[in-house]
Structure formats: structure tokens, C-alpha cells
Amino acid sequence: MWNARTVAVILPTYNEAGSIADCIRGFEALGIVDDIVVVNNNAHPDTSPEVATTSAREVFEATQGYGAAIRRGVAETRHADLVCVCEPDGTFDPGDILKLLPFTADVDVVLGSRTVQTFILSGANMGWFLRWGNWAVAKLTEVLFNTVYLSDVGCTFRVLSRSAVDRLEPHFESNESAFGYEMMLLTAQYRIPLVQVPVKYRPRVGESSVTGDRRKTVELGLSMIALCLRHRFRP
């Protein structure tokens, strides 16, 4: 628990068999997480045996896509006062949840940011193209929605209050990679109090299905810009 509030962690997994157990143990070691839910999204067959060595519970989501996995995780954690989303690919330090949680005393959504140079560790996949691309779309979002300072639209490490989750969930639409950004847009659109906090960004264990490919990265960036414009200007 954190300040008398229960904490659940959602870990979507597809190709993280080599890192997921270490990620889970990192959260376990903190002593504040009440429930760790691994959403197996048609993951590598070695994933389940790795999860079985930990205290996490594993659920299976047949619909492919990052968004589908998170939406299933949200449905599985309705009991928690605070819901953390994190990718178990080794890029995030579970201990950084201790940076995010203190802000939940003041805001309902605390987003991580990977674009602060100080916290980009050697070997992390955050070259100039990804770093400035995320920053540019973040600034577009900041201006169009007249919201708080934003510096990253692709960071998936975040903590949400129960009231924020309940407010946002009925409006979720995406099942794909841009889901995390959709959540950010909805938060800004519905004026839910939020803040963005720098977190460490480390080298990934294994290869990403999106950011490891420049073409897919560009396509995702363009889809995010289109999503931003749709949310801002649709009736």
C-alpha cells in the first residue's frame, strides 16, 4: 500500500520473456505493491514459466495490441486505489514508481517522461530522432489542449488514481500501440489533473516490435499526430 491506498501494477507482455521476471521482482522488492497483473497478449511461450516463478498473476488477452492488453489489465484491477502501468522490457526501473507515487497526493494522473537527457542511460534506444520526435508531439499536445508541461508522448510508465481510471475507461477506443498516448489525450481533454515526471530509461532486453524499426516509428508518430488532431477538433 501507499499512504493507505492499494497499488496494482499492470504489465502487458508480448516479447518480454527474457526480462519480465526481473521486472516483477523489482516491484515485489519495493514492498508497496499489492497486486501485479501480467497480461499475456499472445506472448512468447517462455513467458508463462517465467511469470510462474513470481507472485504475479497472469491473465490472457486474445485481442492483439498494446492497448488491448492495457484495457484488459484495467478491467482486472478495479479493486485498486492506484493503478500503475509499466512495460516489463527492461527499459524502466520499477523503483521509479517511488518518483511517481508522491504526486498522486495532488493529481490523478502521473506520467513518466524518458526525454530528459540526464535519465537516458547508456545504450537506451532514445537517439535524437525518437527524443525530439516525442518532444515535438508533446509540445503540439500541450499547445492544442492548453495543458501542463509535457515532454514525452511515448512513455508508458504511469500511475493513475481510481477516479481517473473510472473517468477515462468508457472513452478508450484504441487497441494498438498509440493507446498510451490516447490515455494522455483523454486526460488533457477531460481536464483531469496530471503531471509528467522524468524517469530513467534503460536499454531494452530483446527487440521492440515498434521502436526497433524506423519505418514503424515514423508511422506511429504520424498516427499520434492524427489522433491528437481528431481529439482536439472533433465535435
Side-chain angles (χ1 to χ4, degrees), residues 114-135:
R114 310 157 301 161
T115 58
V116 176
Q117 187 69 48
T118 307
F119 299 104
I120 301 173
L121 304 190
S122 177
N125 182 26
M126 188 54 70
W128 70 269
F129 182 77
L130 276 175
R131 184 184 177 204
W132 292 108
N134 272 284
W135 183 88

Side-chain angles (χ1 to χ4, degrees), residues 2-3 5 82 100-108 110:
W2 174 265
N3 288 347
R5 291 192 285 178
L82 298 169
L100 308 181
L101 285 170
F103 289 92
T104 61
D106 299 307
V107 299
D108 290 307
V110 186

Side-chain angles (χ1 to χ4, degrees), residues 3 11 16 23 35 59 71 79 103 115 125 137 159 172 200 210 223 228:
N3 288 347
L11 300 175
E16 292 81 24
C23 179
D35 188 20
V59 298
R71 292 171 72 173
H79 57 282
F103 289 92
T115 58
N125 182 26
V137 181
V159 176
F172 292 156
K200 290 191 289 292
V210 177
S223 71
C228 178

Side-chain angles (χ1 to χ4, degrees), residues 9 29 38 51 76 100 107 134 201 208 230-231:
V9 174
V38 173
V51 175
E76 294 284 339
L100 308 181
V107 299
N134 272 284
Y201 195 55
S208 170
R230 285 201 304 274
H231 274 266

